[in-house]
Amino acid sequence: MKYILVTGGVISGIGKGIIASSVGTILKSCGLHVTAIKIDPYINIDAGTFSPYEHGEVFVLDDGGEVDLDLGNYERFLDIRLTRDNNLTTGKIYQSVINKERRGDYLGKTVQVVPHITDAIQEWVVNQARVPVDDVEPQICVIELGGTVGDIESMPFIEAFRQFQFKVKRENFCNIHVSLIPQIMCRCSAPLENSVKEKISMFCHVEPEQVICVHDVACIYRVPLLLEDQGVVGYLSRRLKMPIEAQPRKLLTKWKEMSDRSDRLLEHCSIALVGKYTKFSDSYASVIKALEHSALAISHKLEVKFIDCAGLEPATLQEEPVKYHQAWQKLCSADGILVPGGFGVRGTEGKIHAINWARIQKKPFLGVCLGMQLAVCEFARNVLGWKDANSTEFDPESKHPVVIDMPEHNPGQMGGTMRLGRRRTIFKSNTSVLRQLYGNVEYVDERHRHRFEVNPELKSHFEEKGFHFVGEDVEGERMEVIELDDHPYFVGVQYHPEFTSRPIKPSPPYLGLLLAASGKLQGYLHKGCRLSPRENYSDRSGSSTPDSEISELKMPSISPQ
C-alpha cells in the first residue's frame, strides 16, 4: 500500500480537496486502484449536525454516513463509492480510544495522546486504506488532512503521520503540501516562472521537480491535466517505486475532452435555485456540481440564479420591496426552477410560491427532498383545495397533514436519526419520464437524508388529479418520485440524486431538468436517451454546428446496484 498525505498551509480552503482528488485521478488513469480518506480535526463525531453556513453541505454516502463535502469531490473525480469511515474526525478517534479504555483494553495504563491517540489514528488509516472501492483492494490511499498545519487541533494527526512515515518506510509514503506562494503544491493566480520555482526549491529544501504550480484554471476539471503536464505521475512513480506501464490513458482523454468542451460552450441555460442558504454556495455544492455535469453533457453553459426563498414571500414585499421584486425577476427569467433539500420552516412559503409559479407557467421544475414535499403541499392547497395542507414539521395541527414524521425520527436527538444512505426506489409506471431518463430500469438505488415523508394515506386524492407517485420504496409505503401530467417537466424526488452525479455520468433527474430547460427533453426521449454533437445546440438559437471533434455522447443508464 502506498500513502500520499495532502496537507495545507497559510490558510484553510486553499484547494487541498481538489488537489487530492486530482492526484488520485491521474493515478487512477494509469490503471491503479485508488482510495481516499479525509481527516477533519474537529471534535464532532460527523458532519450531520453542522450548519450549512459554517461548513457547507453535508454529503451523504451509501452507508448513510454524513460526511465532509470533500468526500463528494473524491467520489466525483475518482468515480468510486466510499464509506463513513473514510471520513476520520478527532471525535471518532477519541470516542474509539475512550471506549477501549472503558472496556479495559489498556490494562490499567495511563491513556495519553502519545502513544494511544496517535496509534489509533495510524491503525484507522491502515485499516480503512484496505477497504475495496472498485471491488478490489486499493493500491494507493490519498489522505487529506483538513485545516492548516500549525492548528492546535491538528497536532495529534501531524505527530501520528510523523511516526507513520517510518513505520511504512519511505518508499511507501510521501507528503504533498499545498500552500500559497512562497511555499509546495503552489496555489497562484498565474503560472510560475522557473526562477520562482528554483527559489522555492532552495528555501524549502526540495528538488525543483517537486515544486508544482497549480494556477487558477477556467474549470476544476483541468486540474488533473495540469498536474499531469508537470510530471506528477512520473515523480510519484519514482518516489514511491511504483512501476507504471506506458499505456493509453483513456480516463485522462475523457477529462481533456470534457475540459475542452467546457471552454467552448456557446449556449446558455439558467436555473433558479430557490433555497435557504443561498449566501454560501458550498451549502449546495453537490447540487451545483450535478447541474454543471448535466449542462456540460448537453453543451450548455450553466447560469445558476441563487434566490433566497424568503424573498419570494408577500411579507418581504411590505418590508423590503426591492428584494422582493429582484427575487421574482430572477425566478421569472430563469429557464428552469430547482428547489433543493433543507430543514426548518423559514422560507418554506417562498419555496411554495416558486413551485406554484413553475406548475402554472409550465416551467421545468425539479424538487429534491424537501422540494418534493413542498410540491405536494402546493398541489394540495391550490388544486385539491386543502388550504391548510402542510408538513407536520411546520404545522403539527394541520387538518391535512400531507407530509408526516417518519418512524426513524427521534425528536430527542439530532445526529444520526434520519433515514440515511442508499435505498431502493421501485418505478410503478412504465411511462414515467424519470424512468426513461434512468435507462428504463425497474428500480434505482439512490441516497437519502430526511426525517419526513409524504403521507401515503392521501395518495389517491392526488393521482385522481394527475399528480402521480411514479416511484415508491420496496414496501410500497413511502412515496419516492412524483410527476405531473401535462407539464414539460415537473418532477420531485425524495432522495438526493446529486450525491451520485459524476462529471462524465450526470444524474438523470438533473439531466432531465437541463434538457427540459433548454428545450431538448422530448427530442432526447424520442431518440432513446441519446445525444449527438449536432443536437447539443438549441434549434432556437441559430448558432453554428459545434466542433466535429466532440465525439458522440451516449448518456449511460444507471444500472441497479
Side-chain angles (χ1 to χ4, degrees), residues 222-390:
R222 287 212 172 274
V223 177
L225 305 174
L226 192 62
L227 301 185
E228 168 73 6
D229 290 344
Q230 294 182 71
V232 170
V233 168
Y235 171 75
L236 291 175
S237 175
R238 296 189 298 275
R239 172 67 177 75
L240 298 174
K241 297 184 179 178
M242 296 185 298
I244 296 176
E245 298 179 7
Q247 58 181 350
R249 310 278 288 282
K250 292 183 179 179
L251 179 60
L252 272 193
T253 300
K254 287 183 179 180
W255 277 74
K256 185 176 188 310
E257 290 176 356
M258 184 171 59
S259 301
D260 289 344
R261 176 182 292 192
S262 177
D263 288 346
R264 56 178 174 233
L265 298 177
L266 301 179
E267 294 297 315
H268 289 253
C269 185
S270 62
I271 300 295
L273 193 159
V274 183
K276 187 175 172 182
Y277 315 111
T278 52
K279 292 180 181 177
F280 185 39
S281 61
D282 270 1
S283 300
Y284 300 108
S286 292
V287 168
I288 294 167
K289 294 301 179 189
L291 289 171
E292 290 176 351
H293 300 163
S294 297
L296 189 58
I298 63 171
S299 288
H300 276 61
K301 191 173 185 64
L302 174 69
E303 178 189 1
V304 178
K305 297 187 175 187
F306 292 98
I307 301 175
D308 183 344
C309 48
L312 300 170
E313 296 177 353
T316 306
L317 177 59
Q318 302 300 320
E319 299 166 5
E320 299 179 81
V322 173
K323 179 179 177 181
Y324 176 84
H325 289 297
Q326 287 175 340
W328 275 100
Q329 191 278 330
K330 283 184 180 180
L331 184 75
C332 297
S333 61
D335 298 315
I337 297 171
L338 169 66
V339 178
F343 296 93
V345 69
R346 184 178 69 81
T348 53
E349 294 301 318
K351 294 177 182 179
I352 288 175
H353 282 297
I355 294 166
N356 177 259
W357 168 266
R359 181 177 60 81
I360 293 175
Q361 300 298 324
K362 297 191 182 298
K363 282 276 188 180
F365 165 78
L366 175 62
V368 175
C369 197
L370 177 62
M372 170 185 143
Q373 295 172 6
L374 293 180
V376 173
C377 293
E378 188 281 327
F379 194 87
R381 291 180 187 181
N382 298 311
V383 179
L384 301 184
W386 302 343
K387 296 304 180 184
D388 75 329
N390 214 329

Side-chain angles (χ1 to χ4, degrees), residues 370-425:
L370 177 62
M372 170 185 143
Q373 295 172 6
L374 293 180
V376 173
C377 293
E378 188 281 327
F379 194 87
R381 291 180 187 181
N382 298 311
V383 179
L384 301 184
W386 302 343
K387 296 304 180 184
D388 75 329
N390 214 329
S391 167
T392 55
E393 179 181 6
F394 313 129
D395 182 7
E397 305 303 320
S398 171
K399 294 180 181 178
H400 295 94
V402 294
V403 177
I404 58 175
D405 209 358
M406 294 191 316
E408 290 93 337
H409 181 205
N410 176 0
Q413 186 172 336
M414 291 291 289
T417 61
M418 291 182 277
R419 187 169 181 245
L420 292 164
R422 189 172 70 173
R423 311 281 178 140
R424 180 154 295 178
T425 294

Side-chain angles (χ1 to χ4, degrees), residues 19 36 87 92 170 184 235 237 239 247 292 298 423-424 439 448 450 467 490 495 505 520 537 544:
I19 298 294
N87 193 187
K92 286 182 178 179
R170 186 177 188 277
I184 316 172
Y235 171 75
S237 175
R239 172 67 177 75
Q247 58 181 350
E292 290 176 351
I298 63 171
R423 311 281 178 140
R424 180 154 295 178
H448 292 66
H450 61 108
F467 190 99
F490 192 97
Y495 49 80
K505 295 184 289 187
K520 297 177 175 295
Y537 288 76
S544 60

Side-chain angles (χ1 to χ4, degrees), residues 23 62 306:
V23 168
D62 279 354
F306 292 98

